[in-house]
Amino acid sequence: MKIGITCYPTYGGSGVVATELGKSLAEKGHEVHFISYAMPFRLSHNFVSNIYFHEVEMGNYPLFEFPLYGLALTSKMVEVAKFENLDLLHVHYAIPHATSAHLAKEILAPHKDLKIITTLHGTDITLVGLEPSFIHLVKFSIEKSDGVTAVSRFLKEKTITNYEINKEIEVIPNFIDTSVFKPQADSCLKQKLAPNGEKLLLHTSNFRPVKRVTDTIRMLKEIEDKIPVKLVLVGDGPDRSECERLARELNVMSKVVFLGKQEGLVEILNCADLFLIPSQSESFGLAALEAMACGVPVISSSVGGLPELVRHNETGYIAEIGDIDRMARYTLDLLTNGKKYKMFSDKARKRAHDKFRKDIIIPQYEAYYEKVLGGS
Ligand code: GMT
């Protein structure tokens, strides 16, 4: 198939999923055309044949006080779909991609029937999409897509109820390359992060309020006098300064390592003893899946799609949003019981491999593409 993929090219989970999907499809012989304002960051690492990148260029005509990205994207979609003869366009994150794609489809309609598939990822539905300025547009764009997928059952239900959507939505969960994200022997990084053999708690995110990163610091405060422990925070974003302030206020700054944005995630994950994801909202929790694939059990909140991923009392523990006491108790429980920890670690890896590895999920996307194309 000739497949167009549009996504955000930055560090967010939707861009990662879209890029890994495109790479896997190309490896399987499909021709994949990425259309975005920059090369998706995981694409820039190595050359993959069958993958093409089309950059959406933004002019700066003085009359346009605000950049017209959605429209520039539409124009590029039309151009690529027409000249590369795409069979379908798969857009990740509804805003504005699904709307741009619908407009491209309409423009092309006299010449070809370009199928549009929209994958809903999370905040496009649960947060920003619900804003009054977007809600009608999101509903319209979902309903106009030829196919719609959601990354969890939770997100499917939320979409149907929040937007009163009367349309079939296919749940295709996120996936992981378990030959890359896997347990590795002790690394020298662990020595650097925990020179005195401390246990390592890890959190990775974009530090937006919805991630509740400050909860990880409060958890650290509750356990730091009971076991030797450190908290490693990977990523950056609006709440980073507040996290630093809180760590100083709670007098735990010496036990928190802020690594900022990082690319070598597998090595960092392999240093970790536990992964913390106390989010306010999380449609799937790709970061938790990456940890599980490396054999790192997860302590999570009970929101969104997280319970579909994390098995309570098996691959980690789940607690109510903001229940820091309970999360801290679970953390201590696992970190002070070697036998139990090993069982959780093995089960986390096994669940990631058995249920979410890429060669199980990619064929689901291919089958869905065939189904949507078959409807022509
Ligand atoms: O919230 C983020 O970290 C980024 C966001 C995105 O769209 O890039 O992530 C959403 O999509 C990910 C990939 O499907 C999911 O794993 C995340 O759970 C989801 N984030 C939220 O729902 C808050």
Side-chain angles (χ1 to χ4, degrees):
M1 284 177 257
K2 290 185 169 204
I3 302 156
I5 293 184
T6 286
C7 63
Y8 284 104
T10 45
Y11 281 77
S14 61
V16 170
V17 170
T19 309
E20 295 299 336
L21 171 63
K23 279 159 62 179
S24 300
L25 291 167
E27 277 162 18
K28 296 185 86 174
H30 300 287
E31 189 176 299
V32 178
H33 294 263
F34 279 91
I35 307 168
S36 190
Y37 62 82
M39 170 96 85
F41 82 99
R42 283 212 186 168
L43 205 57
S44 50
H45 293 169
N46 16 38
F47 175 78
V48 188
S49 60
N50 286 357
I51 291 192
Y52 303 86
F53 170 61
H54 305 265
E55 184 171 330
V56 179
E57 281 157 39
M58 296 296 301
N60 58 351
Y61 190 66
L63 187 64
F64 305 149
E65 197 172 337
F66 302 102
L68 302 177
Y69 179 65
L71 297 181
L73 176 61
T74 296
S75 296
K76 189 54 88 176
M77 285 169 163
V78 169
E79 193 184 303
V80 177
K82 189 169 170 185
F83 296 118
E84 302 294 346
N85 200 17
L86 297 185
D87 295 307
L88 63 93
L89 190 52
H90 186 176
V91 300
H92 292 258
Y93 205 89
I95 307 167
H97 303 151
T99 315
S100 298
H102 171 65
L103 191 50
K105 181 184 171 82
E106 287 294 303
I107 294 169
L108 286 165
H111 314 287
K112 68 183 282 147
D113 180 17
L114 177 68
K115 297 293 186 190
I116 306 295
I117 294 177
T118 298
T119 289
L120 309 170
H121 278 273
T123 48
D124 47 351
I125 292 301
T126 56
L127 218 62
V128 62
L130 287 174
E131 285 175 14
S133 52
F134 281 128
I135 189 163
H136 300 294
L137 193 67
V138 171
K139 176 176 163 62
F140 173 83
S141 305
I142 290 172
E143 286 177 339
K144 287 292 180 184
S145 297
D146 297 292
V148 180
T149 78
V151 297
S152 60
R153 292 194 298 278
F154 157 82
L155 192 59
K156 172 180 172 169
E157 295 311 319
K158 269 279 166 241
T159 309
I160 291 169
T161 48
N162 286 353
Y163 298 84
E164 295 174 10
I165 300 269
N166 185 15
K167 186 180 183 76
E168 201 46 55
I169 297 179
E170 183 96 352
V171 176
I172 304 185
N174 286 337
F175 57 90
I176 188 91
D177 186 342
T178 50
S179 67
V180 175
F181 285 82
K182 62 180 180 192
Q184 286 171 353
D186 279 354
S187 69
C188 44
L189 183 61
K190 177 124 192 177
Q191 261 299 313
K192 285 195 189 120
L193 293 172
N196 304 310
E198 295 95 336
K199 296 287 185 191
L200 280 188
L201 309 177
L202 177 68
H203 170 84
T204 67
S205 78
N206 48 24
F207 282 60
R208 281 187 282 151
V210 74
K211 301 290 177 183
R212 295 183 66 102
V213 190
T214 48
D215 283 6
T216 67
I217 294 168
R218 293 185 199 282
M219 282 168 69
L220 174 71
K221 179 67 186 171
E222 291 215 7
I223 64 171
E224 53 105 24
D225 57 344
K226 299 181 183 77
I227 51 166
V229 64
K230 280 191 155 187
L231 171 65
V232 177
L233 296 174
V234 175
D236 214 327
D239 277 358
R240 162 94 178 251
S241 302
E242 173 56 13
C243 287
E244 294 193 18
R245 191 204 61 73
L246 183 66
R248 277 191 295 272
E249 183 191 303
L250 297 180
N251 208 18
V252 291
M253 194 56 165
S254 62
K255 295 182 179 176
V256 185
V257 185
F258 287 90
L259 288 181
K261 287 182 184 167
Q262 292 288 332
E263 294 205 350
L265 261 189
V266 178
E267 199 188 356
I268 299 170
L269 283 166
N270 268 283
C271 298
D273 292 292
L274 281 184
F275 187 82
L276 310 179
I277 181 164
S279 306
Q280 180 86 35
S281 167
E282 202 69 66
S283 68
F284 181 87
L286 184 64
L289 176 58
E290 291 174 341
M292 287 166 64
C294 293
V296 182
V298 173
I299 307 286
S300 86
S301 57
S302 56
V303 297
L306 283 170
E308 295 173 45
L309 174 64
V310 181
R311 278 282 152 90
H312 182 68
N313 205 14
E314 226 177 83
T315 67
Y317 284 118
I318 298 175
E320 291 296 307
I321 301 171
D323 193 344
I324 289 154
D325 286 356
R326 189 175 287 264
M327 290 187 196
R329 250 183 290 133
Y330 286 149
T331 301
L332 272 181
D333 176 59
L334 270 182
L335 293 183
T336 54
N337 185 339
K339 206 167 148 199
K340 191 175 197 178
Y341 178 86
K342 174 83 174 78
M343 260 168 48
F344 274 53
S345 164
D346 290 347
K347 284 191 172 169
R349 164 73 190 173
K350 187 169 171 359
R351 183 161 170 75
H353 184 74
D354 290 356
K355 300 278 181 203
F356 300 100
R357 72 171 191 277
K358 74 172 187 176
D359 45 315
I360 296 178
I361 306 298
I362 302 298
Q364 294 182 25
Y365 274 113
E366 287 177 292
Y368 190 64
Y369 290 170
E370 298 283 2
K371 185 173 146 190
V372 169
L373 286 173
S376 330

